[in-house]
């Protein structure tokens, strides 16, 4: 394993070096949080694909292939569909808004009254997403070094927190590009063909496995529908995804680059399912489906290649973890703490540089604080699936309707948005307590409740102020500067 260890150590050292290099570029709030809004199509596509294809998509995707066959691709496939939908229908408008968070978008659209509560819901989602990604380090480092779970989480989490804190989005973008290349080589170009060959080829796989393993819908219609509801729609509204859209140099880059990344996700989905199906042929009685990835890598790959593929798995986890971490810190600082603190950030002659510098330090501090919190929660938490389910249920049940309603329905109001967030979020929590965290009903009924309340309350209340809608249309058209802080928006509407 010495060669494999060397590959991993070089990879981890490279991640830290990228963080240090990114620190030298992140000299303003825009550069630290959204890479200066100047990523071109190549870097944008790579970093977008990297963040959405995490440990769940790699290790979990192979596990679903092991359990269900080719239809196990549906979870990752719906992620790709969501990214395609976001890129084709919404990304250009989102990029033109020139905001930093989803809550700032809601403030612009509804007049500065919906940001705080939506920020709290989004913060809970990004926190749990970062936690579940961090827990995945334990699986990978256990395969590599037979390492204690707590030590593995601390080691992997510390590296991600370090490079994310140093350079913010620039560091994360640079590391994501490396991770994208490593994942492509490790999973698509190496593990996929080797797994199929070791299993005897597709003809042998078909001969040894039940026919339902090759049924595209074998996983079940209800499961596929739930995946679409949670993951496809979740891709449309998550802060971690939007924050990458904000990095695009232009709306054209956001649209085309995101389309390329979404297509890549579809290919990755099928690859993971095929690898899992091949593992089922070679290891028909593994203790758990999620052990398929680690087992096939450890037992079937040659020295050196094994290290690269494990680095690919590590890359998948790190990209999602770092993206969720900076999203969590951005929301915590800009949407929650600054509102409680009453901070109003304004540019001024001769003071803008210092102000931006202070903003960088403030956001850097929040990444560090949130990173430590994520590591501690990951150590204490055992059930990854339940934590991720809670996160996505809250996101979709609480925020999908007011966000898409704001983008698509002119008559939606701030009161309707607030009611939708509150009712949808509380309904999801209550229904999870009643039906169980892993049940499908909470997100179904929570989303329906949020939609009904949004429409009814919006129609029953005064339409959004014409000045707010005019400013919103200007921003959607790509005209205007950075958005006013929420407090200032409220003052203008009130006046």
């Amino acid at each position: 394993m010495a060669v494999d260890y060397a590959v991993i150590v070089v990879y981890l050292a490279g991640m830290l070096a990228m963080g240090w290099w990114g620190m030298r570029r992140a000299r303003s709030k825009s550069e630290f949080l959204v890479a200066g809004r100047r990523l071109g199509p190549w870097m944008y596509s790579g970093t977008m694909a990297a963040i959405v294809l995490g440990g769940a998509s790699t290790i979990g995707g192979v596990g679903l292939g092991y359990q269900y066959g080719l239809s196990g691709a549906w979870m990752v496939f719906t992620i790709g569909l969501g990214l395609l939908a976001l890129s084709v229908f919404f990304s250009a408008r989102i990029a033109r808004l020139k905001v930093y968070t989803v809550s700032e978008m809601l403030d612009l659209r509804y007049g500065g009254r919906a940001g705080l509560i939506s920020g709290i819901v989004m913060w809970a989602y990004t926190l749990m997403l970062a936690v579940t990604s961090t827990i995945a380090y334990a699986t990978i480092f256990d395969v590599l070094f037979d390492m204690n779970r707590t030590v593995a989480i601390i080691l992997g989490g510390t590296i991600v927190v370090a490079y994310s804190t140093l350079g913010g989005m620039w560091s994360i973008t640079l590391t994501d590009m490396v991770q994208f290349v490593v994942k492509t080589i490790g999973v698509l170009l190496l593990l996929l063909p080797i797994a199929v060959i070791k299993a005897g080829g597709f003809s042998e796989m078909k001969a040894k496995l039940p026919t339902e393993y090759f049924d595209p819908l074998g996983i079940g219609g209800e499961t596929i529908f739930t995946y679409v509801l949670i993951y496809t729609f979740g891709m449309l509204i998550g802060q971690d995804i939007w924050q990458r859209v904000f990095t695009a140099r232009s709306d054209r880059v956001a649209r085309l680059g995101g389309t390329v990344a979404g297509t890549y996700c579809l290919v990755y989905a099928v690859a993971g399912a095929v690898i899992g199906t091949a593992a089922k042929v070679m290891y028909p009685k593994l203790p758990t489906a999620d052990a398929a990835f680690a087992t096939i890598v450890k037992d079937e790959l040659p020295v050196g290649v094994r290290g690269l593929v494990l680095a690919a798995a590590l890359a998948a986890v790190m990209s999602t973890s770092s993206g969720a971490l900076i999203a969590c810190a951005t929301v915590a600082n800009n949407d929650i703490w600054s509102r409680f603190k009453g901070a109003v950030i304004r540019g001024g002659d001769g003071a803008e540089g210092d102000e931006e510098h202070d903003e960088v330090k403030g956001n850097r501090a929040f990444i560090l604080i949130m990173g430590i919190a994520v590591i501690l929660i990951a150590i204490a938490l055992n059930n990854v699936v339940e934590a991720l389910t809670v996160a996505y249920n809250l996101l979709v049940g609480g925020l999908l309707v007011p966000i898409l309603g704001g983008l698509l329905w002119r008559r939606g109001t701030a009161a309707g948005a607030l009611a939708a967030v509150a009712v949808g979020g509380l309904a999801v929590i209550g229904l999870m307590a009643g039906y169980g965290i892993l049940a499908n009903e909470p997100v179904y009924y929570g989303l329906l409740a949020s939609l009904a309340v949004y429409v009814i309350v919006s129609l029953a209340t005064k339409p959004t102020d014409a000045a707010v809608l005019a400013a919103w249309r200007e921003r959607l058209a790509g005209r205007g500067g950075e958005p006013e802080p929420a407090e200032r928006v409220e003052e203008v509407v009130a006046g």
Side-chain angles (χ1 to χ4, degrees):
M1 293 285 287
V3 175
D4 297 322
Y5 292 160
V7 172
I8 299 297
V9 169
V10 168
Y11 169 76
L12 294 177
M15 295 300 97
L16 292 174
M18 291 289 184
W20 183 262
W21 190 82
M23 182 177 67
R24 303 179 63 182
R25 301 197 63 170
R27 299 182 181 275
S28 69
K29 178 181 178 180
S30 176
E31 289 175 335
F32 190 82
L33 294 181
V34 290
R37 306 188 195 275
R38 49 197 175 106
L39 296 190
W42 164 239
M43 291 193 75
Y44 179 85
S45 297
T47 191
M48 183 62 87
I51 187 176
V52 299
L53 296 174
S57 300
T58 304
I59 299 171
V62 171
L64 286 171
Y66 182 89
Q67 187 174 358
Y68 298 104
L70 298 186
S71 67
W74 273 106
M75 183 188 78
V76 183
F77 203 83
T78 55
I79 291 174
L81 292 178
L83 186 52
L84 284 171
L86 174 71
S87 302
V88 173
F89 299 112
F90 300 108
S91 64
R93 281 183 283 179
I94 293 171
R96 287 195 293 263
L97 290 174
K98 303 295 183 186
V99 296
Y100 292 102
T101 68
V102 175
S103 295
E104 288 181 19
M105 167 263 170
L106 293 173
D107 279 339
L108 280 170
R109 169 59 181 81
Y110 295 112
R113 297 188 180 95
L116 179 58
I117 186 172
S118 64
I120 292 172
V121 173
M122 188 64 76
W123 174 77
Y125 157 72
T126 53
L127 179 69
M128 284 298 99
L129 185 60
V131 166
T132 55
S133 301
T134 302
I135 291 173
Y137 296 128
T139 302
I140 299 170
F141 282 115
D142 178 57
V143 175
L144 283 172
F145 308 115
D146 193 23
M147 186 178 290
N148 175 271
R149 177 182 183 274
T150 299
V151 175
I153 289 172
I154 293 173
L155 175 60
T158 299
I159 292 171
V160 169
V161 172
Y163 73 68
S164 301
T165 302
L166 285 172
M169 187 60 80
W170 267 122
S171 293
I172 293 171
T173 297
L174 295 171
T175 54
D176 276 357
M177 284 305 301
V178 175
Q179 290 159 356
F180 171 74
V181 173
V182 170
K183 279 192 288 192
T184 301
I185 296 173
V187 175
L188 297 184
L189 302 184
L190 292 176
L191 183 58
L192 174 61
I194 289 174
V196 173
I197 291 170
K198 291 281 187 178
F202 284 104
S203 58
E204 187 71 12
M205 290 163 62
K206 287 185 178 180
K208 290 186 175 181
L209 294 174
T211 54
E212 55 262 29
Y213 262 72
F214 302 91
D215 180 359
L217 304 179
I219 199 170
E222 183 179 354
T223 299
I224 295 172
F225 179 74
T226 302
Y227 284 158
V228 170
L229 198 62
I230 294 177
Y231 296 114
T232 301
F233 285 114
M235 287 295 106
L236 298 180
I237 59 175
Q239 169 67 26
D240 52 326
I241 309 301
W242 277 42
Q243 200 156 344
R244 297 311 172 97
V245 176
F246 301 151
T247 66
R249 185 170 61 204
S250 66
D251 53 5
R252 184 174 182 273
V253 167
R255 184 184 296 110
L256 296 181
T259 301
V260 170
T263 304
Y264 178 91
C265 292
L266 302 183
V267 175
Y268 201 89
V270 175
V274 171
I275 293 168
T277 304
K280 183 68 174 180
V281 173
M282 291 181 279
Y283 309 99
K285 295 183 179 180
L286 289 177
T288 64
D290 283 344
F293 180 89
T295 302
I296 195 171
V297 169
K298 192 173 183 179
D299 293 349
E300 302 297 336
L301 299 186
V303 173
V305 173
R306 179 171 49 203
L308 184 60
V309 173
L310 287 172
L314 199 58
V317 175
M318 282 186 162
S319 57
T320 299
S321 181
S322 59
L325 177 58
I326 193 172
C328 177
T330 302
V331 171
N333 187 16
N334 292 268
D335 293 336
I336 300 175
W337 173 249
S338 65
R339 294 169 192 266
F340 285 139
K341 186 180 175 182
V344 178
I345 301 171
R346 295 187 178 93
D349 295 337
E352 185 173 349
D354 292 338
E355 182 177 309
E356 290 288 343
H357 182 63
D358 290 340
E359 277 293 295
V360 170
K361 288 198 297 185
N363 282 288
R364 183 174 282 136
F366 264 86
I367 290 180
L368 180 59
I369 294 168
M370 291 296 108
I372 293 172
V374 163
I375 292 173
L376 293 176
I377 296 171
I379 292 172
L381 194 64
N382 287 318
N383 198 315
V384 180
V385 176
E386 288 190 359
L388 194 61
T389 301
V390 170
Y392 271 101
N393 281 356
L394 278 174
L395 177 71
V396 174
L399 291 181
L400 179 67
V401 169
I403 292 173
L404 293 189
L407 289 169
L408 300 174
W409 191 38
R410 176 187 173 91
R411 186 61 180 80
T413 66
L418 286 170
V421 174
V423 171
L426 292 174
V428 163
I429 293 172
L431 290 166
M432 282 192 293
Y435 284 97
I437 290 177
L438 299 180
N440 293 327
E441 287 84 357
V443 72
Y444 295 168
Y445 299 144
L447 187 57
L448 288 174
S450 179
L451 177 61
V453 169
Y454 180 72
V455 172
I456 293 170
V457 175
S458 291
L459 292 175
T461 53
K462 183 180 177 182
T464 304
D465 188 271
V468 172
L469 287 177
W472 168 253
R473 287 192 296 270
E474 285 290 301
R475 188 57 63 88
L476 281 179
R479 295 186 290 269
E482 295 292 323
E484 295 271 14
E487 294 86 352
R488 177 59 182 158
V489 174
E490 290 177 350
E491 290 173 7
V492 171
V493 174

